[in-house]
Amino acid sequence: MTLNRRRVTVAVADDDPTVPAVLGVLPAGPEGEHGRGLVLVDSLALAWGANIFGGRSPSRKVVWFTLGRPESTP
């Protein structure tokens, strides 16, 4: 985690190399159990992304996001 007065960046790692789901595709019906996390992250974060590690045999991924105030333009 990286933190300063205006922003915080959080990274979460796991051993599943599966690329995160495509945004905007929610599970069918209100009882769906998966697929909403990245939609929430996309709506709240200033930026986010995912990195896959392991070369030809991917073995791990890291999903990160940055929260904070947008830069003000003069």
Side-chain angles (χ1 to χ4, degrees):
M1 179 168 66
T2 303
L3 174 67
N4 67 34
R5 293 177 57 95
R6 296 184 182 193
R7 295 189 175 163
V8 59
T9 298
V10 177
V12 180
D14 66 33
D15 293 331
D16 178 3
T18 306
V19 176
V22 176
L23 286 177
V25 178
L26 292 177
E31 300 299 320
E33 296 180 7
H34 304 285
R36 290 179 174 82
L38 287 179
V39 174
L40 290 171
V41 167
D42 188 57
S43 69
L44 297 172
L46 298 175
W48 73 271
N51 301 83
I52 308 300
F53 297 96
R56 291 183 189 189
S57 299
S59 59
R60 179 177 182 167
K61 79 172 167 281
V62 174
V63 177
W64 60 269
F65 60 92
T66 300
L67 300 173
R69 296 183 223 155
E71 295 289 328
S72 57
T73 54

